[in-house]
C-alpha cells in the first residue's frame, strides 16, 4: 500500500512537439544565462512537477505574465499545475512491477473503473460476513438469549458504524492512496501512532487469518468428514483431541495457503467473487429455511433424558427399549447407561429415574419458542446442556457423567466472553478504504459503500438473532457442534433446501477469507516497512522482483501459526478483537482530533460527522476492549505503547502534517498563554538556559562540551535555547545560517540536549549576541540564564569574540536581570559518557547571589556523570567575623534547604599588598596602555593611507581646468605631500610614539586596580589550597567595573582569580532568589 504519490507527466505531445521544445530551449539558452535568478533564494521543489518541467520557465518570456518571470524559474503556472494534478497516479513507490517499463517509456495510466457497488459494498460485505455467523452465532443466541445477544450485536455494530462515519470523514479529506486504515491513522495522528496502530492492525489481520483457517478445519473435521481426524477421541479427552487435529491440519493448510499466495496472488483475487457468492447463497438459504419453517418445519428430532440433551452420535433410537414381536429389547442407548443389555442390569441412577423423550429441534417460527429463548443460560465448563422447562428427577447424588452420551459445554460462558468471540464478525469495514486507489470516485464511494454494507450486515445479524431464537429449540442453539442433531451444523439444520448448502458455502467462504488475510496482511506490513518509521522491520519492505512481499509473507505465516497452535477459535477471536478495536479506536480519535483542531486542511466532503460521534465511537471501542478481556486489552495496549515509544526513540523522523502535531501546537499555544509573562515563583524556578555557542569558519561548533554540560545540568527538564551568531547580512548568509543550524541540531542530538536552536545573522557580532539575549524565547517561555564559554584567546585582539564582546555580554545579562554562567576550560569538562567515581564539587560562596551557587551542584548531581561527587561549600570569613558561628549558621541554612554538603569557613585576613601583586598590576596596566598606543598608531597609519588614496582618486577624476583649485583645496587640509613633508611627518610620529612608550615604563599603577588584584591573588591562593583537585569549582563572578575604561583590567582580574584550576564555573546571579527553605 503506497504512502505517497509518484506524479507522472502525461507524455502525449509527440516527437514533433518535443523537437519544437528543444529548439525553443536552444534559442532561449543565451537569454537564460543572462537573466538573473530573482532574489537568489532557492525555492522549495514542488512534489507535483518533475525536474524536467522546472527548466521550462523561459517559455513564458515575452508573454503577458512577464511580471512573474522570476517566479516561473521555480514555480509552475497554475494551468501546468492543474494539468499534472488531474493526471496523477498513485502507484506504490518502489514497486518494480509498476516501474518495469519506465526506462523505455512510461505507460499511460488507465483511470480507475470500479464504482461503489463493486469496489466498496461487495468487498465490505464479504469481509464482514463470515465464520462467526455460520459457526458461532446460533450458540451465542442460545447461551446469551435473544435479548442479550441483541445487545451484543447492537453494541458491536454501533461501534463499527461510528467508526465508519469517522473513517468516511478522513477518507474524503483529500486523496487517500491505497493504504487503508494505516495510511489514514499515520497521516492523521503521526508516525508514532500510525506505526503502533498499523502494526496492531497487521497483527489483527494476521490472527484473523488464523481464525478463518481454524473455522475451515472445524467445518471440515466436524461437519464434512469427521473420519479424516488424525487423532481419535479417547475417553474424556474429546476437546484436546480435536485441538490436536486442528493444529496438524491448520499447519498444513497455512503452508498450502502461503504457497498459493506466493505463487499467484492474482488467482486469489479472481476467486474473491466465487467466495462472495458462497456467502450470499448461504445467507439466502437461511432466510429461505426460516420462511419454510412457518408451514413445513424440517424434521430434526432431539433426544432428551429428563431435561438433559443427549448426543446422537452413539445411538440412533431415542428410547430405553423397543417392542419387537411381543419381546422387549434394550436399545444401544440402554447399553450406554447400563452395565449390560439385560433389563435387570445396573444402570445410571439418573437414567433409571427419568424418561427418554423426543422433541423437534426446529419447531418453526410459529411455535412460540422465542419466549423460551429470550433469556440467557450461561454455564460452567463441562456442564450438561439442559432444557429449562422439561421435567426431570434428580438422583440422590449426582453420578459421574464422564463417558455418558450427554451434550457438554466445552468452555465456561459469560456475557463479556461472548462479546469478544462475536466482535470479529463485524470487522472488515476497512475493505473499501483499502481499495481507494482503484475506485472511480473514492470520496463518494467509500462513505456510501461502507455505511450501506454495515447497515446491510447489521440488519442480517440482528434479524438472524431474532429468527434463530424464534425457530430453533434452545438446547440445539446451545449445542455448539450439533451433536444432538447427528453432528450437523446447527445453522445448516435451518437452511433450505439442504444443510449442505451452508456447510459447503461456509467452508469456501472461510477458506477464501483466510487466503485474503494472508494476501492483505503482508502488504500492510510492507507498506509500514517502506515508510521507514519502524527500523527493525525494514527488511520486510523487500520482496520478489515483481514487488510481492516475500519476507512479509513468511513473517505473516509464522505469526498465523501461533494462532493455529492455540487451536481454539474461541480463544483466538478475542485476540484479534483487541487489535481491531484498537485500530478503530484510533480512527475515531483521528477524526475527533482533526475536527476539534479545525485545521485549515480539514475539509472532508463527507459532512455527516461530528466530533461527539467520533468520541462516542472511541469510548465504545475502549469499553468493548475491556469488556471482551481486560488482560488481553492491557497486553494489546502494552504492545502498542512499546511500539510507539520505540518509533519515538529510534524511528525515522517524519513530518506528515498530522493531527498530533497540530494538537501539540494548540496545547503549546494554550500553555504559553496560561504561563504568566513574568518571573515564576521561587519554588518553580529552574535555570532556563540560553547557550551561546561559538562557530568556526565551517559552521561547526568550537566547544561541543558546552552542550554536554548543558544536558548534564538540565537533564531534559525546562527550556534550553542554543544560539549562535553569524557575522554578516542575512540575505548573504542564509545558506550558512541553515548549515549552521543543521550542524548545531545534529550535535544537540548527539549530546542528547533537548531544546531549540536559534542562529542569528547580524552585521555586528556584538549586536547579534544582544539580539539573542533580548529576544530568544516566546512569552513566558523565555530564558533566565545565559551559559557561555570563557574566551580563552581574549588577549588576541584579532579574535572576533574578544574581551570587549565578553564584558558587554556580562553587562547585558545583568541589565536583563538574567543569571550568567561562564565555563572556563570547557574542553576539560566531562562528556556524557564519562563517570566520576569520586571527587568533590566545590562551591565558593563569596557573596549571596540568590542561591544559584547552591542550586547548580544539586542539579548537576542528578546526572549520572556527577552523581558520585560530594558537595562542599566554602565561605570566606573576614577579620571581624565569628567563623565558628558562621559555620553553624551555614549548616542550619543548608539543613533547611534540604541539601547535603560539607561546610567549611576559610579565614582570609587583611595583610600588606605583596610585591608580586603590585608588579602584576603594573604589568597589566602597562600592557593595557601599550595596546592603546599601538591601536592609536595603527589608526593613524590607516588614516594616512586613506588620505593618499583619496588624493589619487581626486586627481584622476578632476578636469584639467579644475586641477589648480583641487590642489589648493587639498593643501588646506594637508593633503599636498612632498618628500620633505613626508619625512618630517614620519619623524614627528616616531618621536611621539617614543615619548608615549617612555611614559608607559615610567607609570605607576592605579591604587584601585592594585586592591582588586590583591583580592584576586589572595582568593586564588585560598581556592587553590582547598580545591585544586576538585572535579568542579563554582565561584561567584565579580561584576564588571562601572567605568568602561577598565574593561580589559576586569578580564585580567578574572584570569588571575581562576588561575591554576582545571574546571571552573563562574556564576553571576540574576538578582532574585532562586531557592527557598519553604515547602
Amino acid at each position: 500500500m503506497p504512502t505517497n504519490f509518484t506524479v507522472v507527466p502525461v507524455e502525449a505531445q509527440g516527437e514533433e512537439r518535443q523537437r519544437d521544445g528543444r529548439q525553443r530551449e536552444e534559442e532561449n539558452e543565451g537569454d537564460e544565462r543572462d537573466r538573473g535568478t530573482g532574489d537568489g533564494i532557492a525555492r522549495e521543489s514542488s512534489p507535483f512537477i518533475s525536474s524536467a518541467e522546472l527548466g521550462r520557465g523561459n517559455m513564458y518570456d515575452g508573454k503577458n505574465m512577464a511580471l512573474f518571470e522570476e517566479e516561473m524559474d521555480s514555480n509552475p503556472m497554475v494551468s501546468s499545475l492543474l494539468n499534472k494534478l488531474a493526471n496523477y497516479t498513485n502507484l506504490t513507490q518502489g514497486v518494480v512491477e509498476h516501474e518495469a517499463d519506465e526506462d523505455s517509456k512510461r505507460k499511460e495510466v488507465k483511470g480507475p473503473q470500479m464504482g461503489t457497488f463493486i469496489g466498496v459494498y461487495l468487498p465490505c460485505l464479504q469481509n464482514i460476513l463470515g465464520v462467526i455467523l455460520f459457526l458461532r452465532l446460533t450458540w451465542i443466541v442460545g447461551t446469551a438469549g435473544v435479548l442479550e445477544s441483541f445487545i451484543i450485536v447492537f453494541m458491536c455494530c454501533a461501534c463499527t458504524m461510528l467508526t465508519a462515519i469517522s473513517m468516511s470523514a478522513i477518507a474524503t479529506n483529500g486523496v487517500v492512496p491505497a493504504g487503508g486504515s494505516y495510511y489514514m491513522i499515520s497521516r492523521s495522528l503521526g508516525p508514532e501512532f500510525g506505526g503502533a496502530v498499523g502494526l496492531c492492525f497487521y497483527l489483527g489481520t494476521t490472527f484473523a487469518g488464523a481464525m478463518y483457517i481454524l473455522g475451515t478445519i472445524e467445518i471440515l473435521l466436524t461437519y464434512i468428514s469427521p473420519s479424516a481426524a488424525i487423532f481419535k477421541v479417547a475417553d474424556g479427552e474429546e476437546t484436546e483431541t480435536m485441538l490436536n487435529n486442528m493444529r496438524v491440519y491448520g499447519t498444513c493448510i497455512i503452508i498450502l495457503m502461503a504457497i498459493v499466495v506466493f505463487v499467484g496472488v492474482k488467482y486469489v483475487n479472481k476467486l474473491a467473487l466465487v467466495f462472495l457468492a458462497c456467502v450470499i447463497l448461504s445467507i439466502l438459504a437461511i432466510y429461505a429455511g426460516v420462511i419454510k419453517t412457518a408451514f413445513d418445519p424440517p424434521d430434526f428430532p432431539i433426544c432428551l433424558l429428563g431435561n438433559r440433551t443427549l448426543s446422537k452420535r452413539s445411538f440412533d433410537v431415542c428410547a430405553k427399549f423397543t417392542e419387537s414381536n411381543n419381546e422387549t429389547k434394550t436399545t444401544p442407548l440402554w447399553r450406554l447407561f447400563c452395565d449390560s443389555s439385560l433389563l435387570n442390569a445396573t444402570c445410571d441412577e439418573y437414567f433409571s429415574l427419568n424418561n427418554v423423550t423426543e422433541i423437534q429441534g426446529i419447531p418453526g417460527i410459529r411455535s412460540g419458542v422465542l419466549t423460551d429463548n429470550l433469556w440467557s443460560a450461561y454455564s460452567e465448563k463441562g456442564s450438561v446442556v439442559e432444557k429449562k422447562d422439561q421435567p426431570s428427577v434428580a438422583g440422590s447424588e449426582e453420578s459421574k457423567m464422564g463417558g455418558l452420551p450427554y451434550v457438554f459445554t466445552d468452555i465456561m460462558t459469560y456475557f463479556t466472553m461472548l462479546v469478544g468471540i462475536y466482535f470479529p464478525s463485524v470487522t472488515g469495514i476497512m475493505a473499501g478504504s483499502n481499495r481507494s486507489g482503484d475506485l472511480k470516485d473514492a470520496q463518494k464511494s467509500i462513505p456510501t459503500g461502507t455505511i450501506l454494507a454495515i447497515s446491510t450486515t447489521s440488519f442480517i445479524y440482528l434479524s438472524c438473532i431474532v429468527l434463530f431464537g424464534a425457530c430453533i429449540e434452545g438446547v440445539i442453539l446451545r449445542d455448539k457442534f450439533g451433536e444432538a442433531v447427528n453432528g450437523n451444523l446447527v445453522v445448516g439444520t435451518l437452511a433450505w433446501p439442504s444443510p449442505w448448502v451452508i456447510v459447503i458455502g461456509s467452508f469456501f467462504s472461510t477458506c477464501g477469507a483466510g487466503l485474503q488475510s494472508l494476501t492483505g496482511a503482508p502488504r500492510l506490513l510492507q507498506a509500514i516497512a517502506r515508510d521507514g518509521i519502524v527500523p527493525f522491520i525494514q527488511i520486510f519492505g523487500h520482496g520478489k522482483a515483481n514487488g510481492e512481499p516475500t519476507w512479509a509473507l513468511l513473517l505473516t505465516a509464522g505469526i498465523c501459526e501461533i494462532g493455529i497452535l492455540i487451536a481454539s477459535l474461541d480463544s483466538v477471536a478475542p485476540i484479534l478483537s483487541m487489535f481491531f478495536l484498537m485500530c478503530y479506536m484510533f480512527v475515531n480519535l483521528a477524526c475527533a482530533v482533526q475536527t476539534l483542531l479545525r485545521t485549515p486542511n480539514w475539509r472532508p466532503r463527507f459532512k455527516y460527522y461530528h466530533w461527539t460521534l467520533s468520541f462516542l465511537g472511541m469510548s465504545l471501542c475502549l469499553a468493548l476492549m475491556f469488556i471482551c478481556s481486560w488482560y488481553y486489552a492491557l497486553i494489546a495496549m502494552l504492545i502498542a505503547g512499546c511500539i510507539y515509544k520505540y518509533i519515538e526513540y529510534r524511528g525515522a523522523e517524519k513530518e506528515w502534517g498530522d493531527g498530533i502535531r497540530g494538537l501539540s501546537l494548540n496545547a503549546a499555544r494554550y500553555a504559553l498563554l496560561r504561563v504568566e509573562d513574568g518571573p515564576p515563583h521561587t519554588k518553580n524556578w529552574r535555570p532556563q538556559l540560553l547557550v551561546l555557542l561559538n562557530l568556526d569558519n565551517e559552521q561547526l561548533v568550537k566547544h561541543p562540551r558546552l552542550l554536554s554540560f548543558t544536558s548534564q545540568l538540565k537533564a531534559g527538564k525546562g527550556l534550553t535555547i542554543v544560539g549562535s551568531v553569524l557575522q554578516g547580512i542575512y540575505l548573504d548568509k542564509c545558506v550558512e545560517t541553515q548549515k549552521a543550524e543543521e550542524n548545531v541540531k545534529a550535535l544537540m542530538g548527539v549530546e542528547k540536549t533537548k531544546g531549540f536552536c536559534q542562529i542569528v545573522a547580524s552585521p555586528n557580532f556584538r549586536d547579534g549576541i544582544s539580539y539573542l539575549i533580548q529576544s530568544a524565547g516566546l512569552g513566558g517561555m523565555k530564558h533566565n540564564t545565559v551559559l557561555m564559554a570563557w574566551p580563552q584567546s581574549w588577549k588576541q585582539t584579532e579574535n572576533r569574540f574578544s574581551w570587549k564582546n565578553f564584558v558587554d555580554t556580562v553587562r547585558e545579562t545583568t541589565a536583563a536581570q538574567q543569571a550568567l554562567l561562564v565555563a572556563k576550560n570547557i574542553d576539560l569538562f566531562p562528556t556524557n559518557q564519562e563517570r566520576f567515581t569520586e571527587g568533590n564539587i566545590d562551591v565558593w560562596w563569596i557573596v549571596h547571589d540568590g542561591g544559584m551557587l547552591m542550586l547548580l551542584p544539586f542539579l548537576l548531581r542528578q546526572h549520572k556523570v556527577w552523581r558520585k561527587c560530594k558537595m562542599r561549600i566554602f565561605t570566606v570569613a573576614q577579620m571581624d567575623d565569628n567563623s565558628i558561628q558562621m559555620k553553624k549558621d551555614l549548616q542550619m541554612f543548608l539543613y533547611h534547604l534540604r541539601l547535603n554538603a560539607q561546610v567549611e569557613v576559610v579565614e582570609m585576613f587583611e595583610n600588606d599588598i605583596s610585591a608580586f601583586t603590585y608588579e602584576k598590576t603594573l604589568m597589566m596596566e602597562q600592557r593595557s596602555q601599550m595596546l592603546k598606543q599601538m591601536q592609536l598608531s595603527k589608526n593613524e597609519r590607516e588614516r594616512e593611507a586613506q588620505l593618499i588614496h583619496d588624493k589619487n582618486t581626486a586627481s584622476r577624476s578632476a578636469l584639467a581646468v579644475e586641477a589648480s583649485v583641487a590642489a589648493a583645496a587639498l593643501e588646506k587640509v594637508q593633503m599636498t605631500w612632498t618628500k620633505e613633508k613626508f619625512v618630517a611627518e614620519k619623524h614627528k610620529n616616531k618621536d611621539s610614539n617614543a615619548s608615549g612608550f617612555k611614559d608607559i615604563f615610567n607609570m605607576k599603577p592605579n591604587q584601585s586596580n592594585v586592591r582588586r588584584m590583591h583580592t584576586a591573588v589572595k582568593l586564588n591562593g585560598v581556592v587553590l589550597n582547598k580545591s585544586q583537585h576538585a572535579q568542579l569549582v563554582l565561584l561567584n563572578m565579580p561584576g564588571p567595573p562601572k567605568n568602561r575604561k577598565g574593561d580589559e583590567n576586569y578580564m585580567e582580574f578574572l584570569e588571575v582569580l581562576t588561575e591554576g584550576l582545571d574546571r571552573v564555573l563562574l556564576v553571576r546571579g540574576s538578582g532574585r532568589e532562586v531557592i527557598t527553605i519553604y515547602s
Side-chain angles (χ1 to χ4, degrees), residues 926-982:
Q926 287 176 346
R927 176 183 176 278
S928 176
Q929 192 66 26
M930 192 178 298
L931 285 173
K932 285 182 180 178
Q933 293 289 346
M934 290 173 65
Q935 187 68 26
L936 185 62
S937 302
K938 181 181 178 182
N939 291 341
E940 287 179 350
R941 287 196 302 272
E942 289 175 353
R943 189 163 58 249
E944 288 174 6
Q946 183 65 37
L947 289 173
I948 294 172
H949 174 72
D950 292 344
K951 174 181 177 296
N952 293 333
T953 304
S955 64
R956 279 198 306 270
S957 60
L959 296 172
V961 293
E962 297 175 349
S964 58
V965 179
L970 288 171
E971 274 188 15
K972 289 179 183 178
V973 290
Q974 299 297 320
M975 297 218 26
T976 305
W977 290 87
T978 62
K979 184 177 179 182
E980 294 79 8
K981 196 177 240 185
F982 180 76

Side-chain angles (χ1 to χ4, degrees), residues 649-665:
Y649 181 69
R650 294 289 303 276
E653 288 292 331
K654 297 286 182 181
E655 177 54 60
W656 288 328
D658 51 86
I660 291 298
R661 298 294 190 277
L663 191 63
S664 300
L665 286 173

Side-chain angles (χ1 to χ4, degrees), residues 470-740:
C471 296
I472 305 175
E473 184 61 54
V475 289
I476 296 294
L477 290 173
R478 292 192 293 279
D479 182 6
K480 186 188 288 186
F481 301 109
E483 296 178 37
V485 285
N486 299 320
N488 279 300
L489 183 62
V490 174
V491 69
T493 60
L494 183 63
W496 181 87
S498 167
W500 286 100
V501 175
I502 299 289
V503 172
I504 301 300
S506 61
F507 176 79
F508 280 114
S509 69
T510 51
C511 187
L515 273 173
Q516 288 190 329
S517 294
L518 282 181
T519 304
R523 280 157 178 74
L524 176 59
L525 182 63
Q526 187 181 43
I528 300 171
R530 285 180 172 174
D531 257 353
I533 58 174
V534 187
F536 71 86
I537 66 166
Q538 286 187 357
I539 187 175
F540 299 110
H542 307 295
K544 291 195 297 185
N546 63 352
E548 289 297 318
T550 310
W551 293 108
L553 177 62
L554 288 175
L555 180 66
T556 303
I559 297 174
C560 206
E561 178 64 18
I562 297 173
I564 297 297
L565 294 176
I566 295 173
S568 172
L569 188 146
D570 301 321
S571 300
V572 173
I575 297 176
L576 66 103
S577 294
M578 290 303 115
F579 292 125
F580 278 120
L581 278 167
M582 184 171 292
C583 176
Y584 297 165
M585 180 176 72
F586 280 100
V587 169
N588 284 296
L589 176 63
C591 182
V593 166
Q594 297 277 31
T595 307
L596 289 173
L597 286 179
R598 298 177 183 174
T599 51
N601 190 53
W602 179 246
R603 303 185 301 273
R605 290 190 177 276
F606 181 77
K607 300 298 181 184
Y608 305 102
Y609 70 95
H610 195 266
W611 69 267
T612 52
L613 294 177
S614 300
F615 189 78
L616 180 63
M618 183 182 68
S619 305
L620 191 56
C621 289
L622 185 63
L624 283 174
M625 285 178 69
F626 283 92
I627 286 173
C628 294
S629 173
W630 64 268
Y631 47 89
Y632 277 162
L634 291 177
I635 292 172
M637 287 181 168
L638 181 65
I639 293 172
C642 291
I643 298 170
Y644 178 94
K645 295 306 291 183
Y646 178 81
I647 296 172
E648 186 180 55
Y649 181 69
R650 294 289 303 276
E653 288 292 331
K654 297 286 182 181
E655 177 54 60
W656 288 328
D658 51 86
I660 291 298
R661 298 294 190 277
L663 191 63
S664 300
L665 286 173
N666 268 25
R669 171 185 167 277
Y670 176 78
L672 282 172
L673 292 174
R674 295 269 300 177
V675 172
E676 297 177 8
D677 193 6
H681 192 274
T682 304
K683 289 186 289 187
N684 297 327
W685 194 94
R686 66 167 57 247
Q688 316 284 16
L689 292 181
L690 169 62
V691 184
L692 297 179
L693 294 179
N694 202 4
L695 305 179
D696 60 16
N697 295 330
E698 299 295 324
Q699 280 74 50
L700 297 174
V701 178
K702 281 188 177 180
H703 304 293
R705 298 287 178 91
L706 200 59
L707 287 180
S708 304
F709 183 72
T710 302
S711 61
Q712 294 160 22
L713 184 63
K714 300 290 290 180
K717 303 294 190 299
L719 175 70
T720 301
I721 302 173
V722 180
S724 187
V725 177
L726 294 182
Q727 194 162 357
I729 300 172
Y730 180 71
L731 284 177
D732 300 331
K733 293 286 184 178
C734 58
V735 176
E736 288 89 338
T737 302
Q738 293 173 1
K739 181 181 177 183

Side-chain angles (χ1 to χ4, degrees), residues 54 133 148 296 309-310 351 659 1055:
L54 295 179
L133 171 64
E148 291 186 23
D296 185 18
T309 310
L310 297 176
F351 182 77
E1055 192 76 66

